[in-house]
């Protein structure tokens, strides 16, 4: 893609401006980008050109580890990955690593994403089961709220709904086992 300003050099910088919800995009070469006064950070970005996501994560984990007084090595029971291996590579070995390293991952995930609970798309294959589990969890939270404010009639209705959903879930899992 050619630079939109000089129309000679290859465009390497994608400039996106968002002003009053109005988005404009411009592709520029390095020379033209340096000429624009609005882009004063271009020269300061040069040193991080070769930085990868893993290197950035590695630095983040080192800061976290330096703040900890005790250094205890945690190992995932499923894949055997150690926490120090994770911090050096930035990659988890398996799904169980989230549970094994949850003490360290939860605060980081909350800072990065703003919350620990995923709100978004649900996978097609296991989506129904996931929705059902989430619904039961939400109903149990509502049940606790009703009990705490002494709304026992609503609590009984919610309790019965939870029982129905859990029974349906058990029947489905038994049927799946028989089908195998």
């Amino acid at each position: 893609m050619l630079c939109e300003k000089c129309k000679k050099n290859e465009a390497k910088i994608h400039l996106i401006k968002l002003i009053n919800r109005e988005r404009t995009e411009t592709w520029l070469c390095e020379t033209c980008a340096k000429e624009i006064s609005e882009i004063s950070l271009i020269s300061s970005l040069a040193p991080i050109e070769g930085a990868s996501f893993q290197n950035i994560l590695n630095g983040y984990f080192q800061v976290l580890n330096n703040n900890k007084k005790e250094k205890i090595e945690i190992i995932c029971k499923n894949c055997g990955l150690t926490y120090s291996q994770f911090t050096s590579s930035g990659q988890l070995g398996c799904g169980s690593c989230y549970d094994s390293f949850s003490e360290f991952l939860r605060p980081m995930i909350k800072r990065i994403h703003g919350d620990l609970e995923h709100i978004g798309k649900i996978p097609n294959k296991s989506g129904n089961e996931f929705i059902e589990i989430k619904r039961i969890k939400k109903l149990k939270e509502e049940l606790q709220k009703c009990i705490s404010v002494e709304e026992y009639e609503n609590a009984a209705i919610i309790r019965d709904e939870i029982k129905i959903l859990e029974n349906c879930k058990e029947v489905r899992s038994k049927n799946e086992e028989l089908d195998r």
Side-chain angles (χ1 to χ4, degrees):
M1 175 179 274
L2 290 177
C3 173
E4 292 180 8
K5 186 175 180 188
C6 69
K7 309 244 189 267
K8 294 178 186 174
N9 300 325
E10 183 183 345
K12 293 184 178 180
I13 297 167
H14 186 202
L15 178 65
I16 300 172
K17 290 184 195 176
L18 188 61
I19 302 171
N20 295 330
R21 295 185 182 194
E22 199 171 306
R23 180 182 170 139
T24 57
E25 297 183 30
T26 310
W27 284 92
L28 301 171
C29 64
E30 290 178 26
T31 311
C32 292
K34 288 179 183 176
E35 292 173 4
I36 297 175
S37 62
E38 295 175 35
I39 309 175
S40 59
L41 295 175
I42 295 299
S43 60
S44 66
L45 292 176
I48 58 172
E49 194 172 280
S52 68
F53 183 70
Q54 271 101 9
N55 291 342
I56 293 168
L57 271 180
N58 189 14
Y60 180 76
F61 290 127
Q62 284 177 351
V63 170
L64 284 178
N65 287 340
N66 291 340
N67 292 340
K68 303 278 182 196
K69 292 182 181 177
E70 294 179 23
K71 298 213 175 188
I72 300 170
E73 191 62 62
I74 300 171
I75 301 170
C76 176
K77 292 175 185 172
N78 188 40
C79 69
L81 183 77
T82 64
Y83 183 72
S84 59
Q85 289 173 327
F86 163 64
T87 57
S88 64
S89 70
Q91 296 179 340
L92 295 170
C94 67
S96 298
C97 289
Y98 285 99
D99 295 326
S100 300
F101 308 137
S102 66
E103 175 186 346
F104 301 101
L105 291 176
R106 286 181 171 276
M108 182 186 61
I109 292 170
K110 186 163 177 99
R111 265 186 300 235
I112 293 170
H113 294 288
D115 199 355
L116 292 174
E117 187 175 336
H118 173 73
I119 301 171
K121 293 185 178 181
I122 297 171
N124 290 333
K125 290 182 180 178
S126 62
N128 291 336
E129 183 180 342
F130 180 74
I131 290 169
E132 202 170 272
I133 291 168
K134 201 170 182 177
R135 174 130 173 86
I136 291 171
K137 183 180 175 183
K138 190 175 181 180
L139 285 170
K140 285 181 179 180
E141 289 171 3
E142 285 181 38
L143 177 64
Q144 291 302 317
K145 286 178 187 175
C146 287
I147 292 170
S148 66
V149 294
E150 299 180 1
E151 292 179 357
Y152 299 115
E153 294 84 12
N154 289 338
I157 293 168
I158 294 171
R159 179 204 59 210
D160 294 341
E161 191 173 344
I162 291 170
K163 283 183 181 179
I164 291 169
L165 288 172
E166 287 177 340
N167 287 338
C168 289
K169 186 178 168 187
E170 286 177 24
V171 168
R172 248 184 266 118
S173 65
K174 286 180 183 178
N175 287 338
E176 288 174 2
E177 287 177 15
L178 292 174
D179 289 340
R180 292 181 194 171

